[in-house]
Amino acid sequence: MILAEKQCASFASIVVTMEEVLIDSVQNSLRHLLYHNAIFMCERLCSEFPSETNLQLLAACYLQSNKAYSAYHILKGTQMPQSRYLFALSCFQMDLLNEAEVALCPSNEPNAEVPNGAAGHYLLGLIYRFTDRLKNAAHQFNQALSKDPLLWSAYEELCKLGAAGEAESVFGESAAECIHKQYLSHHVGLQSDDHSVVSSRQVAESVSPRQLRQLHSNNIKGNSLNNNNGTAFSGRVAASQPNNNGVHAGTPFYNTPSPMAMQLSGVSHSPPPIGRNMLPNGPPSSSVCADVSPRSTVKSTLQAPRRKFVDEGKLRKISGRLFSDSGPRRSTRLAGESGPVANNNGNGTNHSSKYPSISKLGSAAFRSVTVRKGQSWSTETINEGLRSDLDDTRSNTTTTSSGSSPPHDARSCEHDGSMARASMSVSKVASGALDVLSLLKIMGEGYRLSCLYRCQDALDVFMQLPHKHYNTGWVLSQVGKAHFELVDYLEAERAFSNARLASPYSLEGMDIYSTVLYHLKEDMMLSYLAQELISTDRLAPQSWCAMGNCYSMQKDHETALKNFQRAVQLNSRFVYAHTLCGHEYVALEDFENGIRSYQNALQIDARHYNAWHGLAMIYLRQEKYEFSKHHFQRALNINPRSSVIISYLGTSLHALKRNEEALAMMDKAIIADKKNPLPMYQKAIILVTMQEFDDALNVLQELKEYAPHESSVYALMGKIYKRCLMYDMAMLHFGLALDLKPSATDVATIKAAIEKLHMPDELEDNL
């Protein structure tokens, strides 16, 4: 009888609403990537309990399943900050950039904060970038980094804009202190009880800025990233504080509100335990403080000991929030329904998006959608793991009667132990943060130098990475791109091949890899790569760029153009596909459409020097030399170390009769890349025009060592010998040129020169 009464009392304390069950079902479906089920259950939720917070959850379901148009329609006209962020995200994916900007920055509220913190600033930066407001874009990306130093995507965008600061300063001590302060504010904010609190001053002193710098210097000396420290923030949490809009201002994912305040209602608070599973579905070992068990932190003075009964496990399956210890805990949770909305940031992947790095925004929306007024549903997921640990703790904790209290000495010991654990926990977070930031410094600096086309410097920086990070798909792709820009196609092919072995599922850089194989004339390898990429992902633009390069190598330019256009259709923001379309139009001598394709590429990325170079080549062929020089100069301003661009700029200057400047450019191009035969050949042509035949022959003699099988070199030497009336030498070099099997056009030109060998140049010019 007594047991039955206890069970009835326990069941009476459990209030499970239909709304909670539906929310749990949606969350569980999203965690397991069951988007169709999540949408169905969330539609039931919104029908039964219509509210804007539930609409946010439904919008997140739609965005996760790539149905931005559905999220757009259900959120149109909503006013909550989190709703505006999700609406802006859906507009961005639908290419409605003006509406997205208005949602993030309402015209009637010029001083309003951008919703969703760092992720909101990042999204606004992308909008500014694609509407050609690059200074504003750079400002927003910097704002995002200031709020979340670990938002790597923002730094990537700054590098692409050429506006990134040195990684040493971006991921330096200020970033470490920012992360430390955010963690500290959470760690101290929950400890307010007089008997067991660790004061903010005591915890702050436990890891001072000087200790941070010492940790930083030790990390640089050691230069080792172990697995524990490398994943230090898989379980990071910090307090979110509402801003003027009633939204938690721009806090990253490790600023998730902790459930411990609700867990220990009416309990003398000790330092909050760091959960072993803070990230959804994360491995327990990845938590920074996995060795600090919650069992050691919960005091033995629980006023209302939790009754356990036989059906508890079954009820736990229904909901992670079912078990409330007492009335105050439940009322505290329900009272929070009128509170502000929590916003959290996160990163994910979704290669099907047509915008760069947009998948990070989608995952940020996934983590920051609010299901309760005052608590985000990502927080609810985190709470379930902490409640589970806390429930186990309570079952193992020796409790006294509700009116009793432990002796003073016991409280003092617990106070000292709590302070020691808090200091150790903060120290571990600081050390882990520095480990992550030291890794990002190397990768960030290498990527920044690569975007500035200081490719050799970038390669040197990447070599500083530990082997386990260097031998990853992303890093090896960046190494391959650097070698590609250095016109070292053999090394580029080797790096991309290793990237394929490291990450056969990744398409990062595979469009450039296909171009490398195109230049190497590796038709079999290129065909195999194209087929592999198509089988991996038919909806990725990289796959169709590889297929287009395969047809272009076979001189089937019309089919190649169709493949490149397919890549543009799949992702209209994929800049390299537009450039490749331009190349094929030029090969088909459709200069008008070629110019249009290059201009489309520049509208997406004004620093895409390949498009400037393509426009300049068209104008050079059309003999619009001033236009050609201007566009070559624009390309050179972006990539000042390109020997090819410098030599073609010299060619434009030569066509404008500015021979001295042209010679200076050719000398500069030769110094930039001594293996490139083009500037030496062009220099010889300029010297012939200036009738400096001896100097021209010296240049060509040197060029023969670098390009011994180039027929045009011998043909030009034959012409020079003819001008010098050395007919035997001229005939010899014309014959050598024919022996090297030049193209049909060159064969006709050489044979015509042989027929007119003894004809004076004046008569030849008149003919």
Side-chain angles (χ1 to χ4, degrees):
M1 184 67 179
I2 297 175
L3 178 61
E5 289 179 357
K6 289 183 178 180
Q7 289 181 348
C8 290
S10 299
F11 279 115
S13 66
I14 301 170
V15 178
V16 183
T17 67
M18 179 180 178
E19 183 176 14
E20 288 177 320
V21 172
L22 287 172
I23 290 173
D24 277 339
S25 176
V26 174
Q27 293 174 3
N28 188 59
S29 297
L30 289 175
R31 281 196 300 270
H32 293 89
L33 309 181
L34 302 174
Y35 299 134
H36 178 75
N37 190 70
I39 291 172
F40 177 82
M41 298 305 294
C42 203
E43 286 175 348
R44 308 286 73 74
L45 172 68
C46 293
S47 299
E48 187 72 26
F49 304 98
S51 67
E52 189 168 326
T53 53
N54 288 338
L55 282 180
Q56 293 171 7
L57 181 57
L58 180 57
C61 295
Y62 284 134
L63 287 170
Q64 285 291 300
S65 56
N66 294 321
K67 296 180 179 179
Y69 50 88
S70 299
Y72 172 86
H73 287 292
I74 67 172
L75 290 176
K76 192 174 181 63
T78 53
Q79 297 299 322
M80 291 177 66
Q82 181 62 23
S83 299
R84 290 192 288 114
Y85 171 77
L86 293 172
F87 179 72
L89 184 59
S90 61
C91 291
F92 185 83
Q93 294 189 13
M94 297 171 64
D95 207 20
L96 303 174
L97 301 184
N98 290 333
E99 287 191 61
E101 182 181 354
V102 171
L104 292 174
C105 301
S107 56
N108 58 347
E109 298 180 28
N111 297 324
E113 281 196 34
V114 177
N116 218 33
H121 285 286
Y122 174 69
L123 175 58
L124 187 57
L126 289 178
I127 295 170
Y128 285 144
R129 178 192 167 193
F130 294 133
T131 51
D132 203 26
R133 289 173 285 176
L134 303 184
K135 290 185 178 179
N136 291 340
H139 174 70
Q140 293 300 324
F141 293 137
N142 280 314
Q143 286 289 313
L145 277 174
S146 67
K147 292 178 178 292
D148 183 1
L150 301 182
L151 188 54
W152 168 260
S153 298
Y155 188 73
E156 272 190 329
E157 293 298 329
L158 285 171
C159 292
K160 293 175 183 177
L161 293 175
E166 292 186 4
E168 181 71 27
S169 60
V170 175
F171 301 110
E173 288 186 7
S174 59
E177 291 179 6
C178 175
I179 296 171
H180 172 252
K181 288 178 181 178
Q182 289 171 335
Y183 175 81
L184 187 64
S185 64
H186 162 75
H187 199 84
V188 176
L190 297 177
Q191 303 170 359
S192 57
D193 192 75
D194 293 337
H195 297 289
S196 62
V197 68
V198 179
S199 70
S200 60
R201 183 173 301 171
Q202 289 170 317
V203 178
E205 290 175 353
S206 65
V207 180
S208 64
R210 176 179 297 178
Q211 288 173 306
L212 274 175
R213 286 191 289 271
Q214 290 175 348
L215 285 169
H216 178 59
S217 62
N218 292 338
N219 179 71
I220 292 176
K221 291 178 181 178
N223 197 21
S224 62
L225 297 169
N226 56 55
N227 292 331
N228 293 332
N229 289 339
T231 56
F233 283 88
S234 60
R236 52 188 176 268
V237 291
S240 300
Q241 298 185 3
N243 58 26
N244 296 332
N245 296 330
V247 182
H248 293 272
T251 56
F253 182 52
Y254 49 81
N255 282 11
T256 307
S258 173
M260 297 304 294
M262 294 186 291
Q263 293 280 356
L264 300 179
S265 176
V267 179
S268 180
H269 296 284
S270 62
I274 306 302
R276 294 194 296 268
N277 191 17
M278 296 304 293
L279 285 177
N281 299 328
S285 61
S286 64
S287 177
V288 63
C289 295
D291 57 334
V292 182
S293 173
R295 294 179 174 82
S296 64
T297 60
V298 179
K299 295 187 66 175
S300 60
T301 57
L302 298 176
Q303 295 181 357
R306 183 168 174 272
R307 298 184 179 94
K308 302 187 69 117
F309 47 91
V310 68
D311 292 332
E312 181 176 291
K314 297 180 181 178
L315 289 174
R316 188 185 299 273
K317 294 180 181 178
I318 299 175
S319 170
R321 296 191 301 269
L322 296 183
F323 296 95
S324 302
D325 289 293
S326 59
R329 246 189 70 188
R330 183 168 63 256
S331 62
T332 301
R333 186 180 69 233
L334 297 177
E337 293 184 357
S338 60
V341 181
N343 298 325
N344 305 316
N345 300 337
N347 291 330
T349 55
N350 183 0
H351 67 269
S352 62
S353 173
K354 71 175 183 174
Y355 291 96
S357 302
I358 190 61
S359 58
K360 286 86 173 174
L361 297 171
S363 183
F366 178 86
R367 288 195 176 105
S368 57
V369 174
T370 303
V371 297
R372 294 171 187 261
K373 302 179 183 69
Q375 188 174 26
S376 70
W377 60 268
S378 64
T379 306
E380 295 288 335
T381 303
I382 295 169
N383 289 354
E384 293 176 8
L386 284 179
R387 285 196 184 103
S388 177
D389 286 343
L390 192 56
D391 290 344
D392 295 339
T393 301
R394 288 173 178 164
S395 66
N396 295 326
T397 303
T398 303
T399 59
T400 62
S401 63
S402 58
S404 63
S405 61
H408 179 269
D409 292 341
R411 287 202 301 268
S412 299
C413 291
E414 281 197 19
H415 173 74
D416 295 339
S418 299
M419 187 170 66
R421 285 191 296 272
S423 300
M424 182 171 58
S425 176
V426 175
S427 300
K428 286 185 176 181
V429 169
S431 176
L434 290 174
D435 284 338
V436 174
L437 291 173
S438 65
L439 176 63
L440 294 182
K441 282 180 188 178
I442 301 175
M443 301 182 77
E445 187 63 14
Y447 188 75
R448 184 184 75 89
L449 293 172
S450 181
C451 289
L452 293 176
Y453 300 101
R454 295 169 54 183
C455 298
Q456 190 56 55
D457 295 337
L459 291 172
D460 295 339
V461 172
F462 283 131
M463 286 298 295
Q464 300 174 20
L465 286 169
H467 289 297
K468 58 187 175 183
H469 289 284
Y470 184 87
N471 294 316
T472 56
W474 186 87
V475 174
L476 290 171
S477 293
Q478 299 305 318
V479 171
K481 289 177 183 178
H483 284 298
F484 170 75
E485 295 295 344
L486 292 172
V487 201
D488 190 353
Y489 297 133
L490 290 175
E491 285 296 325
E493 192 278 329
R494 186 177 292 108
F496 280 121
S497 179
N498 290 333
R500 287 286 294 165
L501 292 175
S503 303
Y505 48 83
S506 175
L507 302 183
E508 174 73 30
M510 291 300 104
D511 49 328
I512 303 297
Y513 185 23
S514 66
T515 302
V516 169
L517 296 177
Y518 173 89
H519 285 296
L520 291 174
K521 310 296 183 184
E522 295 285 354
D523 52 347
M524 292 295 293
M525 292 179 63
L526 179 55
S527 177
Y528 180 72
L529 174 67
Q531 292 181 28
E532 273 198 327
L533 296 181
I534 290 292
S535 63
T536 300
D537 190 354
R538 295 181 61 87
L539 301 180
Q542 294 92 336
S543 303
W544 294 99
C545 286
M547 188 64 73
N549 275 330
C550 189
Y551 282 106
S552 182
M553 181 183 290
Q554 299 170 8
K555 307 300 180 184
D556 188 353
H557 298 296
E558 292 183 355
T559 307
L561 179 59
K562 291 179 182 178
N563 283 276
F564 294 140
Q565 288 173 338
R566 173 62 174 158
V568 171
Q569 184 183 29
L570 289 169
N571 186 349
S572 61
R573 295 285 176 182
F574 196 73
V575 63
Y576 194 47
H578 289 281
T579 301
L580 292 173
C581 284
H583 294 343
E584 295 307 309
Y585 278 124
V586 171
L588 294 169
E589 297 190 355
D590 186 353
F591 297 137
E592 183 178 352
N593 282 320
I595 290 173
R596 187 176 296 112
S597 294
Y598 291 134
Q599 289 174 343
N600 289 338
L602 291 173
Q603 286 178 357
I604 300 168
D605 184 2
R607 296 189 73 251
H608 188 62
Y609 78 90
N610 309 73
W612 290 108
H613 181 269
L615 285 171
M617 291 297 293
I618 290 178
Y619 292 132
L620 187 63
R621 293 183 63 174
Q622 292 178 337
E623 298 184 358
K624 298 178 181 179
Y625 300 125
E626 282 291 347
F627 284 177
S628 176
K629 182 187 80 67
H630 169 75
H631 286 81
F632 279 131
Q633 188 63 59
R634 291 294 299 269
L636 187 63
N637 291 341
I638 298 168
N639 187 358
R641 292 168 175 80
S642 173
S643 175
V644 176
I645 298 176
I646 297 172
S647 61
Y648 274 114
L649 178 57
T651 302
S652 297
L653 292 170
H654 171 57
L656 292 169
K657 310 299 182 184
R658 295 159 62 175
N659 292 330
E660 295 297 334
E661 296 178 55
L663 277 177
M665 280 294 166
M666 295 305 171
D667 289 333
K668 185 178 178 181
I670 293 170
I671 295 173
D673 184 5
K674 293 183 179 180
K675 297 179 181 179
N676 184 10
L678 179 62
M680 298 182 71
Y681 182 76
Q682 293 293 337
K683 180 180 180 180
I685 291 177
I686 296 172
L687 290 172
V688 170
T689 305
M690 299 171 67
Q691 297 188 352
E692 297 182 8
F693 301 125
D694 292 338
D695 291 339
L697 285 172
N698 292 334
V699 172
L700 292 173
Q701 288 289 351
E702 183 180 356
L703 179 57
K704 282 199 301 184
E705 298 179 4
Y706 294 101
H709 302 293
E710 185 62 48
S711 62
S712 58
V713 175
Y714 294 96
L716 181 56
M717 292 180 71
K719 290 180 181 179
I720 295 174
Y721 283 124
K722 178 189 173 184
R723 297 283 293 272
C724 295
L725 305 179
M726 300 171 66
Y727 299 118
D728 292 340
M729 292 295 294
M731 188 64 188
L732 172 64
H733 284 81
F734 283 140
L736 290 173
L738 289 174
D739 291 340
L740 293 173
K741 298 180 180 180
S743 63
T745 304
D746 290 340
V747 168
T749 303
I750 294 170
K751 287 183 177 180
I754 292 174
E755 291 174 359
K756 301 174 184 178
L757 183 61
H758 298 284
M759 184 180 295
D761 293 333
E762 293 79 6
L763 294 176
E764 183 180 346
D765 294 337
N766 291 334
L767 293 174

